[in-house]
Amino acid sequence: MIRPRRTLPALWRSLSARLLVLTIAFVMVSEVLIFVPSIASFRLKYLEERIAAANIAVLALLATPDAMVSDELEMELLSQAGAYVVGMRRPDGKKLMLGMEDSIPAIDAQFDLRQHNPLKSVGDAVMALLHTHNRIIRVVGVSPRHNETEVEIVIDEAPLHAAMLDYGVQVLTVSIVISLVTASLVYLALQWWMVRPIRRMTESMIAFRGDPEDLSRPLKVERRSDEIGVAQAELAEMQAGLRASLQQKTRLAALGTAVTKISHDLRNMLATAQLVSDRLVASADPQVKRAAPTLVAAIDRAVELCTRTLDFTREGPPRLDYRRFALKGLVYEIGQGGLANGKTRLVDAVGEIELEADRDQFYRVLSNLVRNAAEAGAAEVTVSAAIQGDRAIIEVRDDGPGLPPRARQNLFTPFAGSARAGGSGLGLAIARELTHAHGGELTLVQSDQAGTVFRIDLPARRRAAA
């Protein structure tokens, strides 16, 4: 089923919008955490200012001989201090007071600024904001001029409440402005450094999925050494590699179709040539008899090449029929089937090892390796095996001359990895494909003058389906 092509999300659902909203929310949370101690600090400073104003007002009593002033002046001083009563206790024990204690309303709350506690100040500030009605409060503090002089006042809390509200509105306004400015700056920075390149990579992946072979829209790789730069470089390299691989596979597919048709027609032609060569073998002419075997062998190799090529192009993914079998019996059958030149000896060194695999397909794997060794001129081919944990390690070792460098470079490439003249290179390609189908790996371990060693590493037991 073809999946519909994905598109980038709308702006309000994009990563940019989410980053903007989250940035504003986080900055606002930070401002709220700052607001509470700020309002508590404002309240404390307000009360300290009232204490300072009361201290100045009560000092007027020291200018009179009897520490008394007229009623009019006393009311003026109390009005300037914004208090019902102002009292001072000096270090020498002398007390000064403006206002009469019996003339003030009932006191609702008392606060001692000398016992400052941050948590208590925050709690008092919150309570002051929550009280919508006026409270009469008594505040005790120290004189700003003399730390040992105690000053106390009785005031209305309503002016403090109004001042705190005004301050809170100012802080809130500034917080909103700071949040928007900060969010905008963070958004622009993230948009430029992260979202923009990620969006380009996303667009590139969507376009690549739609048309992998389109070379007109390559991914632009920026000169940056961070994770996004690495991701861009890796994605661009991966897309280039995949495009090259797809183009090659497309050409190979077209070539494979052509080769299949040519091989089919050529095999039919060679069948006619085989019939003629059979008659040449029966000829009484001595020269024809000497040349006929060479001609027959050449025609047989050509027919075999055409047949193997057609089989390779027609085969689909291998279907495995798993069963448990002894590896020794399989090696014995390969030896009994005969090797290519009749001069190579097959040595069985697998021991009593059992595998759970497709026996027929694994027969093809081992027989291809053994036959290739024999065709390369090996006098002896040894098949050994061992169980390592849940893996079966099987090695095919020969004493031949080793593979030439060109053959090692294209070892598992069809039609390119043959080590002998006239070979198709399909044997190792098929062997590796079948090994992969079993969940294993076929590798070349060694190839030099001492011989060649191929290793098969595959699960000894069939893996359970996920």
Side-chain angles (χ1 to χ4, degrees):
M1 182 178 66
I2 300 177
R3 296 181 180 178
R5 184 173 178 178
R6 295 182 177 87
T7 58
L8 292 175
L11 180 61
W12 59 88
R13 296 177 56 192
S14 65
L15 182 61
S16 303
R18 296 179 183 180
L19 284 174
L20 180 61
V21 173
L22 287 176
T23 304
I24 294 176
F26 291 156
V27 174
M28 287 300 297
V29 170
S30 301
E31 292 295 335
V32 169
L33 296 177
I34 296 174
F35 172 79
V36 176
S38 297
I39 202 71
S41 177
F42 175 83
R43 174 181 174 277
L44 181 62
K45 290 181 179 180
Y46 180 92
L47 295 178
E48 288 176 346
E49 289 176 359
R50 298 279 69 78
I51 291 291
N55 180 76
I56 295 173
V58 78
L59 289 178
L61 297 177
L62 299 177
T64 60
D66 53 357
M68 296 185 63
V69 294
S70 64
D71 293 341
E72 292 79 4
L73 180 58
E74 182 179 40
M75 293 299 297
E76 181 67 22
L77 292 174
L78 289 175
S79 177
Q80 292 294 327
Y84 290 104
V85 174
V86 175
M88 174 186 289
R89 179 177 296 173
R90 303 179 62 184
D92 56 6
K94 185 176 181 180
K95 296 182 180 181
L96 300 175
M97 180 175 290
L98 289 174
M100 300 298 295
E101 293 186 0
D102 55 357
S103 63
I104 63 176
I107 296 175
D108 299 312
Q110 302 187 40
F111 304 100
D112 192 342
L113 303 184
R114 296 170 298 177
Q115 301 176 357
H116 176 67
N117 182 285
L119 293 179
K120 187 175 183 303
S121 297
V122 170
D124 292 340
V126 173
M127 292 300 297
L129 283 175
L130 294 179
H131 279 94
T132 56
H133 63 280
N134 180 46
R135 294 191 304 174
I136 306 299
I137 59 175
R138 177 174 175 266
V139 182
V140 179
V142 295
S143 171
R145 294 179 176 272
H146 302 91
N147 292 335
E148 297 181 357
T149 301
E150 177 185 309
V151 179
E152 67 174 83
I153 55 175
V154 177
I155 59 174
D156 288 324
E157 195 179 40
L160 171 61
H161 182 269
M164 291 175 67
L165 288 179
D166 292 340
Y167 177 77
V169 171
Q170 295 177 9
V171 171
L172 182 61
T173 303
V174 172
S175 299
I176 293 175
V177 174
I178 293 175
S179 299
L180 293 176
V181 172
T182 304
S184 300
L185 293 176
V186 173
Y187 169 77
L188 292 176
L190 293 176
Q191 179 75 16
W192 180 262
W193 286 103
M194 293 181 61
V195 177
R196 184 178 59 90
I198 291 176
R199 192 177 184 89
R200 280 207 303 266
M201 288 192 292
T202 305
E203 292 173 347
S204 177
M205 288 187 286
I206 293 175
F208 183 82
R209 180 179 180 270
D211 188 1
E213 299 184 19
D214 183 11
L215 301 177
S216 63
R217 301 172 61 183
L219 175 64
K220 181 181 178 182
V221 180
E222 301 178 2
R223 294 182 178 179
R224 48 193 297 176
S225 58
D226 55 9
E227 292 83 353
I228 291 181
V230 174
Q232 286 179 341
E234 291 295 328
L235 180 60
E237 184 175 350
M238 181 190 68
Q239 289 181 349
L242 287 175
R243 283 193 177 101
S245 178
L246 287 172
Q247 290 174 353
Q248 183 182 16
K249 288 184 180 297
T250 301
R251 291 194 294 268
L252 287 176
L255 180 61
T257 302
V259 168
T260 301
K261 294 179 179 178
I262 294 172
S263 297
H264 182 271
D265 295 339
L266 183 59
R267 189 176 63 170
N268 293 335
M269 297 176 189
L270 290 173
T272 303
Q274 276 183 321
L275 295 176
V276 175
S277 65
D278 290 341
R279 294 179 182 178
L280 291 176
V281 172
S283 175
D285 190 332
Q287 292 184 353
V288 174
K289 279 192 173 184
R290 285 195 299 268
T294 304
L295 177 61
V296 170
I299 294 176
D300 288 342
R301 285 197 301 269
V303 172
E304 181 186 3
L305 176 59
C306 292
T307 301
R308 296 182 66 183
T309 301
L310 288 173
D311 291 341
F312 180 77
T313 55
R314 290 171 180 173
E315 285 183 348
R319 297 181 180 180
L320 303 181
D321 181 15
Y322 280 90
R323 52 183 173 177
R324 194 176 182 84
F325 61 91
L327 187 57
K328 179 181 287 292
L330 188 67
V331 176
Y332 176 78
E333 289 182 16
I334 295 174
Q336 290 298 311
L339 300 180
N341 53 16
K343 300 177 182 179
T344 305
R345 187 168 69 94
L346 180 60
V347 178
D348 177 5
V350 298
E352 302 299 329
I353 290 180
E354 292 185 347
L355 295 179
E356 187 175 353
D358 188 311
R359 194 178 190 280
D360 295 336
Q361 300 288 15
F362 202 70
Y363 178 92
R364 295 179 66 187
V365 174
L366 285 181
S367 63
N368 278 334
L369 295 176
V370 173
R371 184 174 59 250
N372 284 350
E375 292 174 350
E380 183 177 283
V381 181
T382 303
V383 181
S384 60
I387 299 296
Q388 297 180 2
D390 60 346
R391 311 289 295 182
I393 309 298
I394 303 167
E395 289 189 351
V396 179
R397 181 185 303 270
D398 66 64
D399 58 357
L403 298 172
R406 184 176 179 181
R408 289 198 294 267
Q409 293 176 359
N410 303 290
L411 194 59
F412 299 104
T413 304
F415 309 106
S418 178
R420 60 183 176 86
S424 64
L426 289 174
L428 289 177
I430 294 173
R432 193 181 202 189
E433 181 182 355
L434 294 175
T435 304
H436 284 173
H438 283 83
E441 183 62 56
L442 172 62
T443 55
L444 175 64
V445 178
Q446 171 189 332
S447 185
D448 51 28
Q449 295 179 354
T452 301
V453 179
F454 283 96
R455 177 177 295 163
I456 302 173
D457 180 354
L458 75 162
R461 302 289 181 270
R462 182 180 183 182
R463 293 178 177 175

